[in-house]
C-alpha cells in the first residue's frame, strides 16, 4: 500500500528521542546467559543497550522524546491535535499508552491512540498521520515509537535477550509551508502468514498468563531469527525501492538511509542490494540494540541532530518487524 506525493504537502517539523540511563553491555549479558561479546558483535553488531529504570514505563520515555520533538518544532503541547504511539510494550493493555502521554504532556486538545505494528509502527504512524493532515482532518500530529522491551524479554533465552533494548523516539508532523521539507512517499505492507516467526505468545486473550503457565515465560518475545532475517532483507529492500521510485528519485539521490536497527548484517545486505554505500546508511544499534518501534525514530532524531541529514537532502526510512510488517518513507528534509 503506498501513496504518491499528496496535494497538501506534509513535513517533519521536529524530532526527539530519549534513552534511559542504565547501560547493559555485552560483558554484563555474558554474566546472565551463555553468550560472548564476540558472538553478539559479529552476529548483530550490538555492543550495549539501554534498560529503563524501575518505575519508568513506555509512556514516560515516550513523553520525554515527545517534549524534545515539540521543542524543536516550536509547537506547544496544547496545540497538538493528534498523538499516535506505536508500541508493542504498552503501559497497560488499555487505555492506550498515547492517553498517558497526552496526560503527561498536557496535550488535551489532541486525539490520542496507539497502533501495534511492532518495529514498523513508527512508519505506519507516519503514513496515517501524513494522510490525516493532508486530508485536512488535523493541522499537525505527534508520532512516537516507544518501547520497554526489557519487560518482555526472557532473560534466560540467549537467542533473544541479547538483541533488545528500551527507548523512545518522536517526530512532529505538520502541513508544509514554503521552504519546508516534505514527506514525499510512504509505503507499508503486511504478511499475516508469518505471525509465527516473531511474537509474544502469552498475555493476550489467546493465552492469558495463569498460575499454571507462569513459569513458562509466555509473555516474552519468541523469534525464529534466521527466517525473520531473510524476510527482513527482501521486504526492506523492496519497500525502500518503492518509495525512492515513487518520489521520482534514484539511489544516487538519497543522502541517507535510516533503517530499522535490528542487525548490522541485515542493514549491510540492504545497503548492498540498494547500491548505497555504508557511509550513507545511519546506524546506532551498536549503542541501543533493537528497540522495535522506537529504533528508526531514535535513529532519525540522532541523524537530524548530529547534522547527518541536511536541509534539502533526501532521506529514506525503512523498517521491518513482527506481523510480518514493513514500511518505508522518502523525505525531502
Ligand atoms: O526487529 C524485528 C526484526 N528482527 C530481526 O530482524 C532479527 C533477525 N534475525 C537476526 O538478527 C539473526 O537471525 C540473529 C541475530 C537473531 C541470530 O543470528 P544467526 O546468525 O541467524 O544465528 P542462528 O540463530 O542461526 O544461531 C547460530 C548459533 C546456534 O548454535 P548452533 O545451533 O549453530 O550450535 C545458536 O544456538 O548461535 C547460537 N546462539 C548463540 N550463541 C551465543 C544463538 N544466540 C546466541 C548467543 N550467544 N546469544
Amino acid at each position: 500500500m503506498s501513496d504518491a506525493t499528496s496535494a497538501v504537502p506534509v513535513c517533519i517539523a521536529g524530532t526527539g528521542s530519549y534513552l534511559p540511563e542504565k547501560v547493559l553491555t555485552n560483558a554484563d549479558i555474558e554474566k546472565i546467559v551463555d553468550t560472548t561479546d564476540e558472538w553478539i558483535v559479529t552476529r548483530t553488531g550490538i555492543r550495549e543497550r539501554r534498560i529503563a529504570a524501575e518505575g519508568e514505563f513506555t509512556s514516560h520515555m515516550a513523553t520525554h522524546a515527545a517534549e524534545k520533538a515539540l521543542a524543536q518544532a516550536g509547537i506547544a503541547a496544547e496545540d497538538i491535535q493528534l498523538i499516535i504511539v506505536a508500541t508493542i510494550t504498552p503501559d497497560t493493555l488499555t487505555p492506550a499508552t498515547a492517553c498517558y502521554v497526552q496526560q503527561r504532556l498536557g496535550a488535551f486538545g489532541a486525539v490520542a491512540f496507539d497502533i501495534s505494528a511492532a518495529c514498523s509502527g513508527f512508519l505506519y504512524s507516519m503514513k496515517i498521520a501524513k494522510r490525516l493532515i493532508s486530508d485536512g482532518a488535523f493541522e499537525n500530529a505527534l508520532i512516537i515509537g516507544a518501547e520497554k522491551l526489557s519487560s518482555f524479554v526472557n532473560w534466560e533465552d540467549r537467542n533473544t535477550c541479547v538483541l533488545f533494548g528500551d527507548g523512545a523516539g518522536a517526530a512532529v508532523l505538520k502541513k508544509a509551508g514554503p521552504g519546508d521539507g516534505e514527506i514525499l512517499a510512504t509505503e507499508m505492507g503486511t504478511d499475516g502468514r508469518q505471525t509465527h516467526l516473531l511474537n509474544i505468545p502469552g498475555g493476550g486473550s489467546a493465552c492469558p498468563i495463569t498460575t499454571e503457565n507462569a513459569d513458562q515465560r509466555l509473555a516474552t518475545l519468541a523469534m525464529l531469527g534466521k527466517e525473520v532475517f531473510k524476510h527482513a532483507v527482501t521486504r526492506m529492500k523492496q519497500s525502500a525501492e518503492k518509495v525512492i521510485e515513487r518520489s521520482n528519485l534514484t539511489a544516487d539521490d538519497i543522502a541517507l538511509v535510516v533503517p530499522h536497527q535490528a542487525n548490522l548484517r541485515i542493514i549491510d545486505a540492504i545497503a548492498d542490494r540498494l547500491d548505497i554505500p555504508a557511509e550513507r546508511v545511519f546506524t546506532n544499534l551498536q549503542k541501543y540494540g533493537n528497540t522495535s518501534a522506537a529504533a528508526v525514530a531514535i535513529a532519525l532524531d540522532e541523524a537530524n541532530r548530529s547534522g547527518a541529514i541536511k536541509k534539502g537532502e533526501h532521506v529514506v526510512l525503512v523498517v521491518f518487524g513482527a506481523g510480518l510488517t514493513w514500511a518505508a518513507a522518502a523525505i525531502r528534509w
Side-chain angles (χ1 to χ4, degrees):
M1 219 185 131
S2 60
D3 61 349
T5 304
S6 49
V8 177
V10 175
C11 70
I12 295 183
T15 63
S17 60
Y18 170 82
L19 280 309
E21 257 175 52
K22 184 179 172 188
V23 175
L24 191 71
T25 65
N26 290 350
D28 295 328
I29 292 203
E30 283 177 355
K31 295 176 198 139
I32 304 172
V33 288
D34 179 17
T35 191
T36 59
D37 172 60
E38 200 258 335
W39 190 96
I40 303 171
V41 171
T42 53
R43 298 290 179 123
T44 73
I46 299 164
R47 294 183 181 275
E48 54 190 47
R49 67 287 293 143
R50 299 298 180 91
I51 303 293
E54 214 179 312
E56 187 171 41
F57 310 144
T58 298
S59 65
H60 294 109
M61 295 187 278
T63 303
H64 295 318
E67 282 166 345
K68 291 181 192 163
L70 287 168
Q72 192 175 72
I75 295 179
E78 54 268 32
D79 294 330
I80 280 290
Q81 298 185 355
L82 173 66
I83 300 172
I84 307 177
V85 173
T87 187
I88 55 166
T89 57
D91 287 17
T92 53
L93 283 180
T94 194
T97 299
C99 301
Y100 300 113
V101 172
Q102 189 221 45
Q103 184 190 98
R104 291 185 203 289
L105 288 174
F108 299 115
V111 171
F113 60 89
D114 287 1
I115 66 156
S116 175
C119 310
S120 306
F122 184 73
L123 291 193
Y124 270 47
S125 305
M126 185 178 289
K127 185 178 179 81
I128 294 164
K130 180 200 167 194
R131 175 59 67 188
L132 289 172
I133 294 169
S134 189
D135 286 354
F138 299 96
E139 286 287 315
N140 58 39
L142 174 60
I143 60 169
I144 307 168
E147 302 285 9
K148 188 181 177 185
L149 289 161
S150 58
S151 295
F152 295 88
V153 158
N154 179 352
W155 290 102
E156 291 179 2
D157 177 15
R158 70 174 185 174
N159 289 294
T160 51
C161 77
V162 303
L163 304 173
F164 298 102
D166 300 335
V172 174
L173 273 54
K174 65 167 193 181
K175 271 184 198 160
D180 285 336
E182 181 180 350
I183 301 171
L184 298 170
T186 53
E187 200 272 332
M188 59 187 186
T190 307
D191 183 358
R193 289 166 298 195
Q194 315 296 345
T195 50
H196 60 290
L197 295 184
L198 177 51
N199 55 41
I200 298 177
S205 61
C207 179
I209 301 305
T210 62
T211 45
E212 283 75 39
N213 69 21
D215 61 333
Q216 294 174 46
R217 298 172 192 270
L218 296 170
T220 57
L221 282 154
M223 177 166 68
L224 297 175
K226 253 195 193 343
E227 284 303 303
V228 174
F229 191 113
K230 285 184 229 158
H231 285 280
V233 173
T234 310
R235 295 298 192 182
M236 285 209 276
K237 182 230 174 206
Q238 290 169 345
S239 209
E241 278 177 346
K242 279 184 190 163
V243 293
I244 292 170
E245 193 189 313
R246 283 175 191 146
S247 306
N248 296 318
L249 300 169
T250 68
D252 286 345
D253 299 316
I254 308 306
L256 196 69
V257 176
V258 182
H260 176 47
Q261 306 286 312
N263 188 317
L264 215 44
R265 290 187 293 138
I266 295 178
I267 294 173
D268 287 345
I270 297 160
D272 190 48
R273 284 163 174 74
L274 290 173
D275 208 12
I276 292 181
E279 57 271 22
R280 288 199 272 136
V281 180
F282 191 86
T283 65
N284 61 7
L285 60 78
Q286 300 86 345
K287 299 183 288 181
Y288 308 137
N290 181 349
T291 57
S292 188
V296 78
I298 297 168
L300 180 65
D301 181 50
E302 289 198 346
N304 179 23
R305 286 174 191 264
S306 68
I309 317 171
K310 289 169 196 67
K311 198 160 172 48
E313 287 184 341
H314 292 107
V315 185
V316 165
L317 312 182
V318 60
V319 294
F320 181 84
L324 298 173
T325 56
W326 57 91
I331 301 168
R332 193 183 65 250
W333 205 251

